[in-house]
């Protein structure tokens, strides 16, 4: 993408309403624009990251056997009356009356609707296990939305729902999502620690919050240091096999948020030199809640002996838009964002230091074309902005690599290649730069 | 995808509420489920088609230089008060009051918001031309939603907005979208004819509706038969060049919907043997509306001589979810849907006629793996349903090719390969089937 044709509205000033670094950086880097309290437009750069996060989530959901569909944003209140949550949900639910005076709502979550879909079609235990998920915009009318997209009102969430014949099978489904979550976050360069969780308004018996450590996290967390070096299951993990050993391993040490922590238990369980007391950001949650919805809503299947039983369900959320904030909170420096290559909006920022200079133009254009042909996404700064501003913008938006083409280096046939994360710079020929970037950025 | 692990709830009965064939077929094929009047869940098979349509739209928008972002569904009423449309829009607008008693709405379109984004950042003619688009769920509270997703309340739309310094440049932007639209529909196997259009509530001076001919179309259309054989611009079309010759060619003959047709003019312009009077489905619309929004909302840029002028805008919609219905209306037979390969939910339906039979299983599994490895998407029916039902389901869901593996053919080492569109069947070795399908389905 040529910057001269792109829409990247960089802000010079730090917006004073932004309380946390991810919010500041997303505004400054032209990734989001607030449209109303807690409601944002995703500008082109932000949208690209959102899309990449979605793709990783989708790939790992598919790997774990979950099937994607898409439920609408607007739901009927009647569905929520069946579960009893219409009255219970409170003011966070955005309630709507349509032109025919029917009570509707903007879905804050989809347990009721997916249960309705299930009961509409599935009759037999033979159709189980089933895990259906979607990635859709949700709305929670927070009284005080803040921290940018970290705690917005309209937010993008992946929510999966598992249906199984009994509790034992439901726990197997739970374990599949648990392992998928470990892999999902790891692929984005994050270590998310599964912590004991309160089950909250959704209710349930077995639940984990997946927490990313970050100084600016919303809550205090208490966990064992070994979580930070634990191996994440690789691509070869077999989701048809028993995943309990992995789940057991990842829940073998103490890890709890401040809501549920028992400090005495923490200190008894974790040797002093292994105790981590830090701040954390929740990026996902897994629940097993049994027949909480299937019972009142009549989502039943026939068993092998012909009797009808309500299905055992779980739900599994990932805050897709929130993850973007968490990624920035966990990876930035004083100059801007540092994206992991898996979610970077572009892989390489190519800076033409002197548009109009024949050799610089030719070398830049040629490298741009060859990188793109190699499947590398390039943001090519072909504008006539001054050099200092170009460097600052590239540092701010945090693409993994920067390549600088200027007349001085090119006299010796060399470009500068900078690794955004380490700051290391190398002078390389265009050929060597292409090889280095291809090796670093493609699989 | 193995059917035994998929969620494909085929309906045996034709739902009686469905008035048109696309609605009937989508319900029967387990593609959608109605959740409320005019509000649908997209079940896995329907979701896959929706996603493929989106991808084609995105690719052609990018080719034409439009840049993707994403605006939220919920908008502030104040923005619409600026343009004067909040009061003008009527009951089709879903109006919402949030917990702080602020007037909000579920966006039916985004002219106001995109104008707000533009004025928030762009100051100079040097940043033009600019075309920003998104694909987002919209809501129009139709008093009588019907025809399934063809006229739903919550629907997915691609809307692009162009910003230019003056009318001449704006027409160039218009032409780029016009050509992108021709290509977009053609890639899905549709011929969409650009017809003179009323500019409707959005207002404007220059506008075309893109209409697909189908017996069940919502309105009568009058056009010249040569449109049906006109060449569509290929991939090599240069969007930096003057596209007027293409637009002129595609608007050179008479074509108008019943809303604007002048029958005397139609008969004078089109020789009798070239007159088509048919039914049509609108699948997109292009507008140039000048400074209608930029003027009241203060979206101005500085010109080269330093004066400030309101930008000239256009908007360009494609009904992404509605296209799915149009595709089915335009391509089906008495047995079900016939998908074009570019939008088919899967490319091949592989039927194992006798699961448990060693040779049939082995051949099917092997072909399944090899087709998938070749990048061909396969729905592999590995269930123990009876053969007749398997065939009927495959015809109903309309994948471009069916491959049938059964003990009888395999005695001679042969599979049956059926072309869904033509009904032609061939007995081929697995190797020959693989070659044929790879050649037919990959580029």
């Amino acid at each position: 993408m040529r910057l001269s044709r792109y829409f990247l509205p960089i802000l010079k000033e730090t917006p004073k309403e932004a309380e946390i670094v991810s919010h500041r950086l997303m505004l400054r880097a032209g990734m989001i624009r607030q449209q109303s309290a807690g409601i944002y437009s995703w500008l082109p750069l932000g949208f690209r990251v959102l899309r990449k996060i979605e793709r990783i989530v989708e790939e790992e959901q598919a790997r774990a056997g979950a099937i994607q569909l898409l439920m609408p944003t607007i739901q009927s209140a009647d569905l929520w009356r069946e579960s009893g949550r219409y009255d219970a949900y409170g003011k966070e639910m955005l309630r709507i009356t349509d032109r025919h005076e029917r009570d509707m709502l903007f879905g804050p979550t989809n347990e009721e609707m997916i249960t309705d879909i299930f009961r509409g079609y599935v009759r037999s235990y033979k159709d189980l296990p089933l895990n259906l998920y979607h990635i859709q915009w949700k709305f929670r009318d927070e009284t005080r939305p803040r921290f940018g997209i970290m705690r917005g009102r309209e937010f993008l969430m992946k929510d999966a729902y598992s249906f199984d014949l009994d509790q034992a099978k439901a726990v197997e489904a739970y374990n599949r999502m648990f392992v998928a979550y470990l892999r999902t976050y790891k692929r984005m360069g994050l270590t998310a620690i599964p912590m004991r969780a309160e089950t909250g308004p959704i209710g349930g018996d077995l639940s984990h919050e997946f927490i990313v450590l970050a100084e600016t996290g919303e809550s205090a967390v208490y966990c064992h240091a070994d979580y930070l070096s634990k191996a994440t299951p690789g691509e070869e993990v077999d989701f048809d096999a028993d995943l309990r050993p992995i789940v057991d391993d990842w829940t073998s040490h103490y890890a709890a948020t401040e809501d549920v922590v028992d400090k005495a238990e923490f200190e008894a369980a974790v040797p002093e030199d292994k105790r981590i007391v830090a701040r954390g950001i929740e990026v996902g949650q897994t629940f097993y809640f049994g027949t909480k919805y299937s019972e009142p809503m009549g989502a039943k299947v026939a068993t092998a002996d012909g009797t009808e039983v309500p299905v055992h369900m779980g739900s599994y959320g990932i805050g897709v838009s929130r993850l973007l904030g968490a990624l920035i909170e966990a990876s930035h420096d004083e100059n801007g964002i540092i994206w992991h290559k898996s979610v970077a909006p572009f892989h390489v920022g190519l800076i033409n230091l002197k548009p109009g200079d024949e050799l610089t133009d030719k070398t830049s254009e040629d490298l741009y074309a060859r990188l793109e042909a190699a499947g590398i996404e390039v943001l090519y700064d072909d504008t006539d902005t001054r050099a200092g501003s170009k460097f600052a913008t590239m540092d701010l938006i945090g693409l993994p690599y920067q390549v600088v083409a200027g007349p001085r280096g090119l006299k010796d046939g060399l470009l500068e290649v900078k690794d955004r994360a380490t700051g290391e710079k190398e002078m390389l020929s265009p050929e060597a730069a292409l090889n280095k970037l291809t090796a670093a950025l493609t699989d």
Side-chain angles (χ1 to χ4, degrees), chain A:
Chain A
M1 176 61 66
R2 287 169 200 276
L3 187 55
S4 62
R5 296 180 166 212
Y6 201 52
F7 181 59
L8 182 67
I10 299 293
L11 300 187
K12 297 248 159 34
E13 314 274 299
T14 296
K16 58 180 180 306
E17 76 272 22
E19 297 169 62
I20 58 170
V21 67
S22 61
H23 191 192
R24 279 196 296 276
L25 290 173
M26 289 182 77
L27 289 169
R28 284 189 52 215
M31 297 181 68
I32 52 171
R33 173 179 177 80
Q34 181 175 308
Q35 302 292 165
S36 306
I39 302 179
Y40 292 85
S41 282
W42 295 78
L43 301 180
L45 200 75
F47 176 72
R48 286 180 74 99
V49 180
L50 196 64
R51 185 57 78 79
K52 292 203 175 182
I53 293 173
E54 270 190 85
R55 289 296 161 275
I56 293 174
V57 170
E58 287 172 0
E59 286 171 19
E60 295 303 326
Q61 289 293 293
R63 194 191 300 276
I67 299 166
Q68 193 166 11
L69 45 65
L70 185 60
M71 291 175 271
T73 63
I74 300 297
Q75 305 188 18
S76 148
D78 286 340
L79 207 50
W80 288 68
R81 291 192 177 108
E82 287 192 54
S83 71
R85 286 209 291 180
Y86 186 67
D87 294 324
Y89 215 93
K91 288 200 159 189
E92 279 198 10
M93 177 183 277
L94 189 67
R95 293 160 205 263
I96 302 170
T97 307
D98 75 7
R99 70 188 295 169
H100 297 303
E101 302 293 325
R102 279 176 299 225
D103 292 333
M104 313 293 286
L105 56 99
F106 197 123
T109 175
N110 287 68
E111 281 79 8
E112 283 80 359
M113 193 176 278
I114 201 76
T115 305
D116 173 65
I117 290 173
F118 181 91
R119 73 181 172 185
Y121 305 107
V122 183
R123 299 279 171 267
S124 164
Y125 75 98
K126 289 183 192 164
D127 296 322
L128 306 181
L130 192 60
N131 184 322
L132 300 172
Y133 83 100
H134 74 159
I135 298 180
Q136 178 61 292
W137 292 91
K138 313 285 194 296
F139 202 96
R140 288 186 194 161
D141 201 359
E142 301 259 2
T143 188
R144 198 160 79 88
R146 54 193 194 140
F147 304 145
I149 49 86
M150 294 280 282
R151 195 160 171 178
R153 294 198 289 169
E154 186 168 332
F155 60 98
L156 188 61
M157 191 164 125
K158 185 283 299 182
D159 37 328
Y161 302 90
S162 63
F163 301 89
D164 288 276
L165 186 60
D166 55 34
Q167 178 165 350
K169 289 286 180 194
V171 171
E172 289 174 17
Y174 185 92
N175 291 346
R176 283 192 290 275
M177 283 294 108
F178 187 102
V179 172
Y181 277 33
L182 294 175
R183 284 192 44 77
T184 300
Y185 302 119
K186 197 60 175 185
R187 281 186 60 187
M188 300 175 194
L190 292 173
T191 301
I193 304 170
M195 303 199 181
R196 294 181 200 182
E198 282 196 303
T199 49
I202 292 183
D205 306 318
L206 172 64
S207 182
H208 290 91
E209 284 181 358
F210 287 74
I211 304 279
V212 172
L213 302 187
E215 281 169 33
T216 50
E218 65 225 332
S219 61
V221 297
Y222 301 79
C223 71
H224 195 292
D226 284 2
Y227 277 117
L228 300 179
S229 52
K230 207 172 267 302
T232 304
E235 278 196 18
E236 73 293 346
V237 63
D238 177 4
F239 281 93
D240 289 334
D242 182 6
L243 298 173
R244 207 169 22 184
I246 299 173
V247 176
D248 284 349
D249 180 38
W250 273 90
T251 53
S252 58
H253 300 304
Y254 194 92
T257 65
E258 60 188 333
D259 297 338
V260 295
V261 69
D262 176 330
K263 284 184 194 165
E265 192 186 344
F266 173 59
E267 285 169 17
V270 184
E272 196 163 354
D273 63 332
K274 291 284 192 179
R275 284 180 207 152
I276 293 185
V277 179
R279 308 291 300 175
I281 299 170
E282 190 206 321
V283 290
Q285 189 157 4
T286 49
F287 285 109
Y288 160 67
F289 47 73
T291 61
K292 180 177 160 71
Y293 298 93
S294 57
E295 188 100 55
M297 294 184 67
K300 294 177 186 175
V301 291
T303 62
D305 67 14
T307 55
E308 281 203 327
V309 296
V311 285
H312 285 249
M313 293 173 58
S315 74
Y316 314 91
I318 289 182
V320 174
S321 47
R322 152 173 274 249
L323 254 174
L324 220 145
L327 283 158
I328 297 174
E329 292 292 335
S331 178
H332 64 272
D333 64 16
E334 65 283 10
N335 298 317
I337 302 164
I338 302 172
W339 292 115
H340 188 264
K341 67 176 181 180
S342 65
V343 292
F346 297 90
H347 299 122
V348 171
L350 170 60
I351 295 177
N352 180 333
L353 274 188
K354 199 163 184 182
D357 177 72
E358 196 178 327
L359 180 60
T360 310
D361 284 351
K362 193 186 163 319
T363 309
S364 301
E365 294 283 342
D366 184 57
L367 185 61
Y368 175 47
R370 292 174 73 190
L371 285 166
E372 292 264 325
I376 292 171
E377 297 165 357
V378 181
L379 183 63
Y380 170 31
D381 187 346
D382 58 343
T383 67
D384 55 8
T385 318
R386 63 182 180 78
S389 165
K390 291 188 175 195
F391 294 136
T393 292
M394 283 298 177
D395 277 352
L396 175 61
I397 69 175
L399 311 181
Y401 290 94
Q402 298 168 17
V403 178
V404 184
R408 206 179 307 169
L410 288 174
K411 262 194 303 194
D412 305 319
L414 297 176
L415 305 160
E416 184 186 279
V417 177
K418 175 176 159 183
D419 180 322
R420 172 66 181 89
T422 64
E424 279 170 43
K425 296 175 183 179
E426 275 183 286
M427 296 302 293
L428 295 175
S429 70
E431 203 60 37
L434 181 67
N435 290 338
K436 180 193 167 82
L437 295 171
T438 307
L441 292 165
T442 56
D443 296 322

